[in-house]
Amino acid sequence: MGIPGLLPQLKRIQKQVSLKKYMYQTLAIDGYAWLHRASCACAFELVMNKPTNKYLQFFIKRLQLLKRLKIKPYIVFDGDSLFVKNHTETRRRKKRLENEMIAKKLWSAGNRYNAMEYFQKSVDITPEMAKCIIDYCKLHSIPYIVAPFEADPQMVYLEKMGLIQGIISEDSDLLVFGCKTLITKLNDQGKALEISKDDFSALPENFPLGELSEQQFRNLVCLAGCDYTSGIWKVGVVTAMKIVKRYSEMKDILIQIERTEKLCFSKAFKQQVEFANYAFQYQRVFCPLSNQITTLNNIPKAVTNSHAEIIKIMKCIGSVVERGSGVRKDVINTKNIDHKVHEMIAKGELHPVDMASKLINRERKLKARKLFKVSLLGGESNSFNKKVEQPLVDTQDVLSERENSLDNKNASSIYMTSPAAISGTVPSIF
DNA sequence: GGCATAAGGTACAT
DNA sequence: TCTCACCTTATGCC
C-alpha cells in the first residue's frame, strides 16, 4: 500500500504537531484506514459474522477527541475498486481467505491464542461496516461521503475545493494525487506528524522532491512501485529519483532501462504506467457541491480530442452508471451520467460496488438475520412479520453507553458544513 | 556505504 | 459475491 520507502525519505520535513493547530478547521478522515485499525480489536467477530460494536466505538473515541479540539471531521470512505487495481485486490482477497482457513483450523484445534493472529489477518472491511459508521454520522450531523472509487483522490478533491484544510491518513499515495497537507500517525493524545507539500523544497540533495514536476513525481512512484504498478525490481524511491532527474520523459527512461542489462521490467509495466498516470490525475470523484460525478482534475481539451486516448482514460478512472439505460459503463460525456444514482452512493444509501442494492448497516443486517432464524426455529406463528417490520434500532442502542457523553445539540451546530460559503468552479470532463 | 528487500514484532481492546 | 497493515531491524547485493 502506498509508496514503499517514501515517508522515511520525507522525515526531514515531517513536523510534529498537535491537532489543536487545526481548531475550527475541517479535516478529512480516511474512513477505511480507521476501520482497519479498529478491526484488530474485533477480528474474530468480524470474520465469524458475529455482531460487534467495537469498531464503532473506536470511531466514537476518535471523533470525541476531535470534538474536544474543536475540529470538524469529514469522513471519507472508499467506494468501488478500480479496474486498474484488480490484480492487487484479487491477490489480497486470496491471502485473506488463506488466513481465514488457518484461523478456523487453529480455533477448532483449541489453539485460540494463535488463531486470533490469523483472524486479524483475514478481516475484510466491508461497505456494510462503513454504513454502521455512516448511520452514526447521520445521527450526529457529521459530514461524510462515500467516494465513487478510492477515498484518496476524493479527499484531495475536497481539499482542492476548499472544503477541508488537511487530510488525516497514513497513505503516502495522497501526496502523488496532489494533497497539500497530510496528517499522519495521529495518536490518542491528538499528536500527529504533518507533511506539507510546500516543504518539499526543503528536502536534502539526495532526494530533491521539490525540484520535480508533478509528472516527474508520478514517474518516480511508478518506477519505485505504487498501488497501480509493480515497480521495477531493485529500484526504490532513491534510485527512482536519480532516474527521473536524469531523464524527464518516461519513454526515455524505459528506453534506457531496456538498453542496460542491470534492470528490466515486465511486458505489463508499460501499460501499468500509462494507467497509473490516468488514475492519479483524472480519477472519478463525487462533488458534494454540485452533487455530480466529476474528475479529480480536468481532462485537458487536447486530450479529449483524441478518441483513442479518451477511451483509454475511461478504462482507468472508473465506470459509472449511464443515465437512461441504468447500465454501468465507461460514460464519456458527463451529461450522460446518472448523477442521482451516484449521489445515493455518495450518501451511503446505495451499495458502492453493485451500485443497485440498498446498503445495509452490518449490525442491522446481522440482527435481522438473527430474528429471522429465531422465527424459523418456531417462535410465535406471526412473530416474524411483527419483528421484521419494526424499525431496527441499530447504532443507537449499540451506542447507548457512550452516547450520554456526546452533546447532540452542539454536534449538529459544529459539524454542519455550509456549501454556500465555499466558492470555486466545478471541474467536469467537458 | 548506500540501497533494496525480507523478516519479525505490534496493532486493538480490556 | 462485494475493498487497505505498518514499522523497525536484519540481511544481502552492488
Side-chain angles (χ1 to χ4, degrees):
Chain A
M1 207 182 84
I3 322 300
L6 180 60
L7 288 181
Q9 289 300 328
L10 303 182
K11 266 208 175 116
R12 192 77 73 85
I13 57 164
Q14 287 174 4
K15 280 176 285 191
Q16 198 134 45
V17 294
S18 162
L19 276 197
K20 274 182 204 160
K21 184 180 169 183
Y22 296 98
M23 194 183 271
Y24 302 120
Q25 297 190 358
T26 309
L27 299 179
I29 291 158
D30 184 342
Y32 269 76
W34 278 17
L35 271 178
H36 203 266
R37 287 187 68 175
S39 70
C40 295
C42 47
F44 176 78
E45 291 92 333
L46 293 174
V47 176
M48 300 302 280
N49 266 322
K50 292 182 184 301
T52 176
N53 63 354
K54 284 181 188 159
Y55 62 96
L56 178 58
Q57 290 195 340
F58 177 90
F59 265 79
I60 295 171
K61 208 173 96 182
R62 293 231 148 171
L63 289 171
Q64 281 176 330
L65 169 72
L66 294 184
K67 198 183 170 195
R68 270 202 303 278
L69 299 170
K70 297 189 169 46
I71 291 165
K72 291 186 258 177
Y74 196 134
I75 305 178
V76 181
F77 297 99
D78 285 76
D80 198 6
S81 54
L82 267 191
F83 159 75
V84 283
K85 274 179 86 175
N86 269 356
H87 61 286
T88 36
E89 302 297 348
T90 42
R91 205 183 54 221
R92 280 170 181 158
R93 198 169 307 140
K94 201 179 147 202
K95 195 78 204 156
R96 274 199 302 269
L97 285 174
E98 280 170 20
N99 288 326
E100 187 180 328
M101 271 168 55
I102 298 171
K104 286 178 176 169
K105 246 183 208 166
L106 286 168
W107 186 266
S108 50
N111 194 348
R112 308 207 156 175
Y113 183 80
N114 287 348
M116 290 313 279
E117 183 191 327
Y118 282 91
F119 274 120
Q120 290 179 350
K121 284 178 184 169
S122 59
V123 170
D124 185 17
I125 308 292
T126 64
E128 284 77 10
M129 287 167 70
K131 176 72 171 188
C132 180
I133 312 298
I134 287 173
D135 283 343
Y136 176 83
C137 289
K138 279 179 169 171
L139 207 62
H140 295 278
S141 305
I142 297 170
Y144 67 89
I145 192 165
V146 179
F149 297 96
E150 293 176 289
D152 294 3
Q154 181 69 55
M155 292 191 285
V156 173
Y157 181 79
L158 295 177
E159 190 186 38
K160 217 178 121 183
M161 299 303 284
L163 290 165
I164 56 158
Q165 285 72 47
I167 298 173
I168 300 177
S169 173
E170 309 298 317
D171 199 343
S172 50
D173 270 340
L174 281 156
L175 297 166
V176 192
F177 280 107
C179 162
K180 290 191 197 79
T181 306
L182 177 62
I183 299 158
T184 65
K185 314 275 180 278
L186 174 63
N187 67 16
D188 287 342
Q189 284 74 48
K191 298 271 185 288
L193 290 177
E194 183 196 84
I195 299 171
S196 296
K197 202 180 170 191
D198 290 343
D199 295 335
F200 281 0
S201 54
L203 281 164
E205 254 176 56
N206 69 326
F207 203 75
L209 195 51
E211 292 172 19
L212 298 192
S213 66
E214 303 216 330
Q215 180 60 58
Q216 283 176 308
F217 189 16
R218 282 192 295 276
N219 288 347
L220 184 152
V221 301
C222 283
L223 294 170
C226 61
D227 276 356
Y228 307 123
T229 71
S230 46
I232 289 176
W233 189 249
K234 291 175 185 169
V235 174
V237 284
V238 178
T239 309
M241 173 63 85
K242 285 177 195 156
I243 297 173
V244 297
K245 284 293 282 179
R246 183 137 183 224
Y247 310 98
S248 56
E249 296 281 324
M250 187 49 117
K251 65 173 191 329
D252 297 329
I253 292 171
L254 296 180
I255 290 170
Q256 287 305 317
I257 291 175
E258 273 174 334
R259 276 185 195 162
T260 62
E261 284 175 8
K262 285 179 186 168
L263 301 174
C264 64
F265 53 85
S266 67
K267 266 186 185 171
F269 184 73
K270 241 175 185 170
Q271 201 178 42
Q272 284 176 9
V273 170
E274 192 180 20
F275 284 3
N277 268 296
Y278 292 144
F280 275 131
Q281 291 177 90
Y282 310 122
Q283 191 166 151
R284 299 215 199 250
V285 293
F286 187 80
C287 177
L289 301 180
S290 67
N291 281 330
Q292 291 200 342
I293 287 279
T294 179
T295 51
L296 174 56
N297 296 297
N298 284 324
I299 300 173
K301 269 273 181 293
V303 175
T304 56
N305 288 335
S306 158
H307 188 66
E309 191 167 2
I310 198 87
I311 293 288
K312 264 195 248 170
I313 293 178
M314 291 296 132
K315 284 265 171 287
C316 307
I317 63 173
S319 60
V320 287
V321 177
E322 188 183 44
R323 196 158 56 158
S325 71
V327 174
R328 208 171 151 185
K329 53 163 90 167
D330 301 328
V331 182
I332 294 175
N333 194 327
T334 309
K335 287 176 190 156
N336 296 334
I337 295 174
D338 194 334
H339 295 288
K340 267 276 166 260
V341 166
H342 285 284
E343 187 183 342
M344 287 172 78
I345 291 168
K347 288 183 175 165
E349 289 163 22
L350 277 184
H351 199 290
V353 177
D354 68 27
M355 298 193 180
S357 65
K358 198 176 164 198
L359 182 56
I360 302 170
N361 181 328
R362 177 187 186 269
E363 306 315 315
R364 176 189 286 230
K365 211 175 188 174
L366 287 177
K367 214 174 200 176
R369 201 180 293 171
K370 197 178 167 191
L371 290 174
F372 181 69
K373 273 189 189 163
V374 166
S375 70
L376 280 184
L377 287 171
E380 298 156 43
S381 58
N382 60 351
S383 64
F384 171 67
N385 288 338
K386 232 197 269 171
K387 280 179 181 168
V388 175
E389 279 173 13
Q390 281 169 1
L392 289 164
V393 193
D394 36 79
T395 38
Q396 295 184 36
D397 56 46
V398 165
L399 297 173
S400 54
E401 250 173 76
R402 290 177 174 267
E403 202 61 355
N404 298 333
S405 52
L406 266 181
D407 177 2
N408 288 349
K409 265 191 229 160
N410 276 350
S412 51
S413 59
I414 286 178
Y415 293 137
M416 285 304 274
T417 43
S418 164
I422 293 121
S423 60
T425 50
V426 181
S428 71
I429 293 177
F430 293 116

